[in-house]
Amino acid sequence: DSGVTQTPKHLITATGQRVTLRCSPRSGDLSVYWYQQSLDQGLQFLIQYYNGEERAKGNILERFSAQQFPDLHSELNLSSLELGDSALYFCASSVGQGGNSPLHFGNGTRLTVT
Amino acid sequence: GDSVTQMEGPVTLSEEAFLTINCTYTATGYPSLFWYVQYPGEGLQLLLKATKADDKGSNKGFEATYRKETTSFHLEKGSVQVSDSAVYFCALRRIQGAQKLVFGQGTRLTINP
């Protein structure tokens, strides 16, 4: 058990809809990262937060947004969903921002857009 | 930009065979290097890491050595088990600047009894 909790585990929704994925980092971790895993694109970095502030942005679509709350949990909002957004979305956390500390991953949320 | 290249899978071996999964990287400076493993239906688990040149990471019989001269971090195990069947990801992370993990494409490993 990594200590990172993601909910829900599965999500099935229709095109055009909006969903929210939630992540609780490991106790004491201040950084939260979101990744998208799809068959054709592999693991793609979306966005990073550190102690409530956005710190890095990757290949995140404008239809997607995220935030980290004062209690350090994070939410990833996906709107105007398309079939191609179907993927596994992972949250990860780490103690700080330094490159030596590893990321600890949750078990992911599997999103299916029909 | 930073990138990681892994040997293409899938890789299929018999139990007790020797395993090597190749990984090379391109990055500015000297990143930290990681191997993650993903079992079916689960998230990624850290397998091992190395933070500087010539460091050897090891865990559960797996080893990888940080080779700066060849920009490589190959994963090895002397005798694989059926339970090692999973997808393995090589990754790098810069010490400074953007600290995201950059992943390779993953290598699916299947071990037959």
Side-chain angles (χ1 to χ4, degrees), chain A residues 33 35 97-98 100-101 103, chain B residues 32 36 38 49 93 99 101:
Chain A
Y33 307 75
Y35 281 82
Q97 300 185 86
N100 288 339
S101 57
L103 272 60
Chain B
S32 294
Y36 280 81
Q38 184 178 27
K49 71 172 187 177
R93 192 177 185 205
Q99 288 93 28
L101 267 177

Side-chain angles (χ1 to χ4, degrees), chain B residues 21-101:
Chain B
I21 300 178
N22 291 339
C23 170
T24 57
Y25 68 90
T26 302
T28 304
Y30 305 108
S32 294
L33 301 174
F34 304 85
W35 276 100
Y36 280 81
V37 58
Q38 184 178 27
Y39 298 102
E42 297 184 15
L44 283 78
Q45 300 176 24
L46 177 66
L47 183 58
L48 52 86
K49 71 172 187 177
T51 58
K52 60 183 188 295
D54 299 325
D55 262 3
K56 178 186 281 189
S58 61
N59 186 26
K60 298 180 182 180
F62 291 90
E63 292 183 341
T65 301
Y66 191 141
R67 301 287 188 198
K68 188 178 70 174
E69 63 277 11
T70 55
T71 61
S72 64
F73 193 54
H74 304 322
L75 182 68
E76 297 181 337
K77 187 175 185 181
S79 177
V80 292
Q81 306 299 314
V82 173
S83 57
D84 294 327
S85 298
V87 181
Y88 292 80
F89 292 91
C90 185
L92 69 80
R93 192 177 185 205
R94 285 199 201 174
I95 304 299
Q96 296 174 340
Q99 288 93 28
K100 63 182 181 182
L101 267 177

Side-chain angles (χ1 to χ4, degrees), chain A residues 27-102:
Chain A
S27 177
D29 284 0
L30 298 179
S31 277
V32 170
Y33 307 75
W34 287 97
Y35 281 82
Q36 179 192 58
Q37 185 179 34
S38 58
L39 283 174
D40 56 343
Q41 295 286 325
L43 273 160
Q44 297 289 316
F45 169 71
L46 296 178
I47 198 164
Q48 176 203 356
Y49 282 84
Y50 176 78
N51 204 20
E53 293 186 8
E54 181 184 306
R55 285 303 170 97
K57 240 178 182 178
N59 301 321
I60 188 166
L61 301 172
E62 286 191 12
R63 300 183 285 109
F64 296 0
S65 65
Q67 54 183 325
Q68 186 180 28
F69 294 87
D71 67 352
L72 301 178
H73 90 272
S74 178
E75 292 180 357
L76 179 66
N77 300 296
L78 315 176
S79 62
S80 303
L81 286 167
E82 302 175 359
L83 295 177
D85 298 327
S86 296
L88 200 49
Y89 291 85
F90 285 109
C91 170
S93 70
S94 66
V95 171
Q97 300 185 86
N100 288 339
S101 57

